Amino acid sequence: MPMSSTPDPRPSTDLDALLHPRSVAVVGASANPDSPGHDYLRSLIDFGFAGPIYPVHPREREILGLTVYPNLRDVPGEVEFVISCIPADGVPGLLAACAEKGVRVVQLFTGRFSETGREDAAELEREVLRLAGEAGVRLIGPNCMGLHDPRLGISFRPDLPRRAGPVAFISQSGNNTTEVLLHSDVRGLGFSTALSYGNALDLDESDFLAYLAQDERTKVIGAYIEGVSDGRRFLDALRAAADAKPVVVLKGGRTGAGARSAVSHTAALAGSREVWSGALRQAGAVEVATQEELIDLLVAFAFLSGKPGRRTGVVGGGGGRAVQAADACAEHGLLVPPLTDDIRSRLRERSPDLWDWIGNPVDQSILAGTGAGVSGAAILEMMAESPEFDLLIANIGEDWVLGRPNFARRLAHIVDRFVEIGRASAKPVAFVLGPADSPDEERWRAMESARSALVEAKLAVFPTVERAAWSLSRWVEWAEGRA
Amino acid sequence: MPMSSTPDPRPSTDLDALLHPRSVAVVGASANPDSPGHDYLRSLIDFGFAGPIYPVHPREREILGLTVYPNLRDVPGEVEFVISCIPADGVPGLLAACAEKGVRVVQLFTGRFSETGREDAAELEREVLRLAGEAGVRLIGPNCMGLHDPRLGISFRPDLPRRAGPVAFISQSGNNTTEVLLHSDVRGLGFSTALSYGNALDLDESDFLAYLAQDERTKVIGAYIEGVSDGRRFLDALRAAADAKPVVVLKGGRTGAGARSAVSHTAALAGSREVWSGALRQAGAVEVATQEELIDLLVAFAFLSGKPGRRTGVVGGGGGRAVQAADACAEHGLLVPPLTDDIRSRLRERSPDLWDWIGNPVDQSILAGTGAGVSGAAILEMMAESPEFDLLIANIGEDWVLGRPNFARRLAHIVDRFVEIGRASAKPVAFVLGPADSPDEERWRAMESARSALVEAKLAVFPTVERAAWSLSRWVEWAEGRA
């Protein structure tokens, strides 16, 4: 058995230390900017990893200004964390070197193990696990993108968002981790940790959940899971995590077709949908069916706060939006009560011509007419102050604004007022703003500014009123369960 | 009874002629660029209406370079179509002038009739209907944005898309019409007609459906309906339309809260959800629950063609996407069969190291590794040619590409290949590309080019794989019903 220079017969399970290394080596570092071995190295540099970074490659001398070592054994200092981008058959040799260097964690981007469905590859994977155990090294992966921690300065792609924050995401899929990070960033979500862990050969979802349950930087946990090897251990870890903070789970391989695909992706045994849904519910986790739903609920749990309740006040958007908002609320179990007598009497003072026509949801096109004397924002403020409303939905109504002269200034003004009210409100407020996807540059910029102003204020923004209503409803269910 | 200068005691129901006027007057035209009376006029000019355009206003002399007439009676030429932006109490007088001028249609942007819930306003509305009947004038509205027909050169907002095409949309909501037009344009949908018809006082959804059923420019009909006054007449018209072409209906006011909101929006009596769903199904229309679903199905019906079947081939995106695609297909009733022996033997030739690991869905990350020797596009082509697949889903996988060097060129290359295959395929192909909503200008431009290339090739593009699978499934159900 290869001996470590700082021998530790029992692999450490102090994940907090393992996931916060003070030095990192990239084995299989590459000068080719179109390769993972380059991406990992450049990510460490660009994200600002504070400790020493050691590229390892048998023939290169310098990459991105860093001295390259021909072998891990040649690295002069201590190495706590190794990122492996070498082919699978080199991993046993790497683990021997890791043992000598006292490495604590090896993150295996390296794939083509059991997920190929081949017996020789699966045999090599078992051998890797055995060697790691002997070496006192913990493994992340194989077949994974690994750790993304913007505070620490580690990531797997230099272009990923730098935004740090209260959300943790663990995923068997690297592709899905990238998608979630990119699509969460435009929603304003910052991450404590994101972890793509592939085949979960050693460290697995249960380890990560146990760690995140007690991680103080993490307030919300999201997970994409294809399969687990130890169901009981997983449910214990999940229950502990869900007791501590909201946990949102997207289960991949819920169907026969999905399960077959999962086997060739991460060699995961997916299990039946009914068993999974029941187990997730019993453990107190929130199950979602799509990546969009996952991100919507991460937004809801990260940004909504207040007392749960279902009486919803809705403003903004024209008449069609008002009707569709009411339908969406009702279909997702929210209530849309009439305006209170108090609000109606205040509207009567300010808008004697129209007050009796204004309802909940507030049809913004009524207020846009002549002689309204009251704005949607003003009514949102009244609802925020009224004890008769628990939740608020604020439609920005950008499609109308974009047709007006000076739309950029006008949109900014509406957003400013809504941001002010959203920040001051003790109640959960869901804002509705569609994507900044206009082919016209001026409109894209105006929408992008609106989006940015809302999410930088840490407000919960949803792209449609239906997704806002659905998310509020799931948030209320969860919060009621905690009350 | 006021007499028309070209008297016609029975109002015309030849909607094709009524909706293709040769001359238009905007009564209540305005020099204020932030007013509907300006928007209507400028839309006629900017969309290139070919006939004479007459602004009418008691005090203005010239607006946007056009001579303004103090009264409709003062207009020198014939006026077939009047757009009214004057207050409600002026409408009876306007109808008297319309009778004298032989006007055939009055489109009433003018609102504050029965939708206010006030008895005097409802009484005025009944008077308006009576006067219009006497004058031989047909009404669109009141309380509507009216007609958008880019070929004819009529619209209600100068910034709306100019794209003409095979889709018709009728809607009780002007706001929703604007949203549908803007959000359909980035999906490549062109419109024969869009019609916001508000309170449906005279011409209503039944008239419009009967017209669109036989309109040769229209291949697909979408409708947003809050309520109908004559259920039997509506169902007859809907059945006739749905027999002729696909009709997608979004029903507003499905819930108690939505129905209450609909009353104050368009004075519509919404009816129960169950009755509506059953009636729509019996009539052969396709019911949807959100505006996103509506647009997804307009895309499907406008761009998908081929024989219906459920055996789906999926390419593109990484392993997580592959698993989620398989789940989405299976959950929406599509089949995800294994690759055929023929395709496998061709893969074996081109990719001896990996062929046995590649499945359906195709995990693009396997192909991105060294030694794959085959691209996702090449496998998509094999599936397009194989008799064992009925439907195809092509994930662009842009989130991975955006992290590579020269991502713009690379994305364009992938899209070019997919466009080529999509155009050549006799089978329905759904492309999956997320919104071009990056805050980064270079990424926005790259995504915008990708989107544009796909939709200009008249390919069906969906923002998520789940929405693609759902839309394909609904398309297959519809097409099977016609087979």
Side-chain angles (χ1 to χ4, degrees):
Chain A
M1 168 185 158
M3 292 300 293
S4 161
S5 57
T6 54
D8 177 2
R10 290 157 314 160
S12 170
T13 49
D14 178 2
L15 269 183
D16 191 39
L18 293 182
L19 298 177
H20 290 84
R22 288 162 299 181
S23 51
V24 179
V26 179
V27 178
S30 170
N32 172 8
D34 193 15
S35 70
H38 192 87
D39 277 355
Y40 282 107
L41 198 61
R42 201 173 138 203
S43 296
L44 287 161
I45 298 168
D46 289 4
F47 274 76
F49 182 71
I53 305 168
Y54 303 111
V56 175
H57 187 277
R59 290 174 306 279
E60 299 284 346
R61 308 294 286 273
E62 190 184 297
I63 304 176
L64 292 169
L66 296 174
T67 302
V68 178
Y69 300 89
N71 189 294
L72 186 66
R73 292 178 178 87
D74 303 318
V75 170
E78 192 184 40
V79 178
E80 292 191 357
F81 195 99
V82 164
I83 298 170
S84 164
C85 305
I86 60 175
D89 58 11
V91 173
L94 173 61
L95 287 170
C98 288
E100 289 178 30
K101 286 293 291 179
V103 169
R104 305 169 78 178
V105 179
V106 176
Q107 171 178 302
L108 291 160
F109 168 76
T110 306
R112 305 204 181 171
F113 287 100
S114 60
E115 76 276 14
T116 59
R118 295 174 185 159
E119 185 41 45
D120 56 345
E123 174 57 35
L124 178 60
E125 188 176 270
R126 289 189 290 272
E127 173 72 0
V128 164
L129 180 61
R130 193 183 59 76
L131 292 173
E134 287 179 6
V137 163
R138 303 307 307 259
L139 302 174
I140 298 172
N143 181 30
C144 76
M145 299 310 298
L147 183 61
H148 165 90
D149 181 332
R151 276 201 199 82
L152 179 65
I154 283 190
S155 187
F156 50 88
R157 230 173 75 170
D159 67 306
L160 289 178
R162 305 294 194 262
R163 199 191 297 268
V167 181
F169 181 58
I170 62 170
S171 172
Q172 280 191 266
S173 161
N175 150 243
N176 165 310
T177 307
T178 301
E179 290 176 6
V180 166
L181 287 172
L182 290 173
H183 297 289
S184 292
D185 190 52
V186 292
R187 307 285 288 277
L189 290 174
F191 285 77
S192 56
T193 309
L195 243 166
S196 144
Y197 62 91
N199 298 6
L201 179 62
D202 173 20
L203 290 170
D204 64 13
E205 56 290 329
S206 303
D207 298 304
F208 300 131
L209 284 170
Y211 158 61
L212 293 172
Q214 51 75 41
D215 176 41
E216 290 188 355
R217 303 176 314 163
T218 299
K219 305 294 178 207
V220 192
I221 301 171
Y224 171 74
I225 295 173
E226 294 182 352
V228 298
S229 52
D230 184 340
R232 176 172 299 273
R233 188 167 161 260
F234 168 68
L235 286 176
D236 287 346
L238 183 62
R239 192 173 295 111
D243 279 350
K245 47 198 86 171
V247 182
V248 184
V249 179
L250 174 57
K251 172 66 177 65
R254 299 183 296 269
T255 64
R260 281 191 299 279
S261 182
V263 170
S264 71
H265 177 219
T266 56
L269 294 171
S272 95
R273 165 151 213 187
E274 292 67 28
V275 169
W276 265 91
S277 293
L280 293 176
R281 197 168 47 244
Q282 278 190 9
V286 183
E287 189 184 11
V288 291
T290 68
Q291 200 168 282
E292 288 194 322
E293 288 185 359
L294 173 79
I295 294 173
D296 281 347
L297 288 195
L298 295 179
V299 166
F301 287 122
F303 295 135
L304 297 179
S305 60
K307 274 195 296 188
R310 293 173 187 270
R311 297 167 305 170
T312 310
V314 186
V315 303
R321 175 68 67 95
V323 174
Q324 292 164 77
D327 279 338
C329 286
E331 287 179 346
H332 294 303
L334 303 178
L335 305 170
V336 189
L339 294 177
T340 62
D341 289 342
D342 175 53
I343 292 178
R344 283 168 62 83
S345 69
R346 288 163 73 186
L347 290 178
R348 183 171 202 160
E349 281 168 33
R350 293 171 65 166
S351 187
D353 284 353
L354 297 172
W355 70 278
D356 55 332
W357 184 20
I358 302 169
N360 177 34
V362 176
D363 174 350
Q364 182 68 34
S365 63
I366 299 177
L367 308 181
T370 48
V374 65
S375 69
I379 304 179
L380 183 66
E381 210 157 22
M382 294 177 200
M383 289 168 162
E385 287 160 7
S386 163
E388 307 289 319
F389 290 99
D390 304 307
L391 305 169
L392 304 173
I393 295 179
N395 290 285
I396 304 298
E398 66 277 7
D399 290 311
W400 179 77
V401 183
L402 290 174
R404 306 320 315 149
N406 304 313
F407 63 78
R409 208 174 59 202
R410 211 140 152 176
L411 189 59
H413 174 73
I414 293 169
V415 166
D416 282 353
R417 277 286 283 140
F418 276 23
V419 163
E420 194 183 310
I421 298 165
R423 284 185 124 143
S425 171
K427 295 172 186 169
V429 190
F431 293 84
V432 181
L433 179 76
D437 65 350
S438 175
D440 175 75
E441 185 175 342
E442 196 184 351
R443 287 180 178 219
W444 168 67
R445 285 196 193 283
M447 285 292 291
E448 176 45 33
S449 296
R451 179 204 66 76
S452 170
L454 288 163
V455 307
E456 296 304 334
K458 298 190 187 308
L459 299 174
V461 182
F462 302 89
T464 68
V465 73
E466 288 85 4
R467 286 170 64 180
W470 179 86
S471 302
L472 281 175
S473 173
R474 302 301 296 266
W475 179 86
V476 170
E477 272 169 32
W478 181 87
E480 281 175 349
R482 306 286 146 149
Chain B
M1 169 186 161
M3 290 301 291
S4 160
S5 56
T6 54
D8 177 3
R10 289 157 315 161
S12 169
T13 49
D14 178 2
L15 267 184
D16 191 41
L18 294 182
L19 297 179
H20 290 86
R22 288 163 297 181
S23 52
V24 179
V26 179
V27 178
S30 170
N32 172 7
D34 192 14
S35 70
H38 191 87
D39 278 354
Y40 282 106
L41 198 61
R42 203 175 135 202
S43 297
L44 287 161
I45 297 168
D46 288 4
F47 274 76
F49 181 72
I53 306 168
Y54 303 111
V56 175
H57 187 278
R59 288 174 308 278
E60 299 286 345
R61 308 292 287 273
E62 189 185 297
I63 304 175
L64 292 168
L66 295 174
T67 303
V68 179
Y69 299 90
N71 189 293
L72 186 66
R73 292 178 178 89
D74 303 319
V75 171
E78 193 185 37
V79 178
E80 292 190 358
F81 194 98
V82 164
I83 298 170
S84 163
C85 304
I86 60 174
D89 57 12
V91 173
L94 172 61
L95 287 171
C98 288
E100 289 177 32
K101 288 291 293 178
V103 169
R104 304 169 79 179
V105 179
V106 175
Q107 170 178 301
L108 291 160
F109 168 78
T110 307
R112 305 203 182 170
F113 287 101
S114 60
E115 75 276 14
T116 58
R118 294 173 186 160
E119 186 40 46
D120 55 346
E123 173 58 34
L124 178 59
E125 188 175 90
R126 289 189 291 272
E127 174 72 1
V128 164
L129 180 61
R130 193 182 61 73
L131 292 173
E134 287 179 5
V137 163
R138 302 305 306 258
L139 301 175
I140 298 172
N143 180 30
C144 76
M145 298 310 297
L147 183 62
H148 166 90
D149 181 333
R151 275 200 200 84
L152 179 66
I154 284 190
S155 187
F156 51 87
R157 234 174 72 169
D159 67 305
L160 289 177
R162 304 295 194 260
R163 198 190 297 269
V167 182
F169 181 58
I170 62 171
S171 172
Q172 281 192 266
S173 161
N175 148 242
N176 166 308
T177 306
T178 301
E179 291 175 6
V180 167
L181 287 171
L182 291 172
H183 296 289
S184 292
D185 190 53
V186 293
R187 308 285 288 278
L189 291 175
F191 285 78
S192 55
T193 309
L195 245 166
S196 143
Y197 61 91
N199 297 6
L201 179 61
D202 173 21
L203 290 170
D204 63 14
E205 56 289 330
S206 303
D207 297 304
F208 300 132
L209 285 171
Y211 158 61
L212 294 171
Q214 52 74 41
D215 177 40
E216 290 187 356
R217 304 176 314 163
T218 299
K219 306 294 178 206
V220 193
I221 302 170
Y224 170 74
I225 295 173
E226 294 182 352
V228 296
S229 52
D230 183 341
R232 177 172 298 272
R233 188 167 160 260
F234 169 68
L235 286 177
D236 287 345
L238 182 63
R239 192 174 295 110
D243 278 349
K245 47 198 85 171
V247 182
V248 185
V249 179
L250 174 57
K251 174 64 177 66
R254 299 183 297 269
T255 64
R260 280 192 300 280
S261 183
V263 170
S264 71
H265 176 220
T266 55
L269 295 172
S272 96
R273 167 154 210 184
E274 292 69 27
V275 169
W276 265 90
S277 293
L280 292 176
R281 197 169 45 246
Q282 278 191 7
V286 183
E287 189 183 10
V288 292
T290 68
Q291 200 168 283
E292 287 193 324
E293 289 185 358
L294 172 79
I295 294 173
D296 281 347
L297 287 195
L298 295 180
V299 166
F301 287 121
F303 296 135
L304 297 180
S305 60
K307 274 195 298 189
R310 292 170 187 274
R311 298 166 305 170
T312 311
V314 186
V315 304
R321 175 68 67 97
V323 175
Q324 291 165 75
D327 280 337
C329 286
E331 288 180 343
H332 294 303
L334 304 178
L335 305 170
V336 189
L339 294 178
T340 62
D341 288 343
D342 175 55
I343 293 177
R344 282 167 63 83
S345 70
R346 290 163 72 186
L347 290 178
R348 184 172 203 159
E349 282 167 32
R350 295 171 65 165
S351 187
D353 283 354
L354 296 172
W355 70 278
D356 56 331
W357 185 20
I358 301 169
N360 177 35
V362 176
D363 174 350
Q364 182 68 34
S365 63
I366 299 177
L367 308 181
T370 48
V374 65
S375 69
I379 305 180
L380 182 65
E381 211 156 22
M382 295 177 200
M383 290 168 162
E385 287 159 7
S386 164
E388 307 289 318
F389 290 100
D390 305 307
L391 304 170
L392 303 172
I393 295 179
N395 289 286
I396 304 297
E398 67 276 6
D399 290 312
W400 179 76
V401 184
L402 291 173
R404 306 320 315 149
N406 304 315
F407 62 80
R409 210 175 57 203
R410 211 142 155 174
L411 188 59
H413 174 73
I414 294 169
V415 166
D416 283 352
R417 278 288 283 139
F418 275 22
V419 163
E420 195 184 311
I421 299 165
R423 284 185 124 144
S425 171
K427 295 171 186 170
V429 190
F431 293 85
V432 180
L433 179 76
D437 66 349
S438 175
D440 175 74
E441 186 175 343
E442 197 184 349
R443 288 182 176 218
W444 169 67
R445 285 195 193 282
M447 285 291 292
E448 176 45 31
S449 296
R451 178 203 68 75
S452 170
L454 288 163
V455 307
E456 296 302 335
K458 300 192 187 304
L459 299 173
V461 182
F462 302 90
T464 69
V465 74
E466 289 85 3
R467 285 170 66 180
W470 179 85
S471 302
L472 281 175
S473 173
R474 301 302 296 266
W475 179 86
V476 170
E477 272 170 33
W478 180 86
E480 281 175 347
R482 305 287 146 149

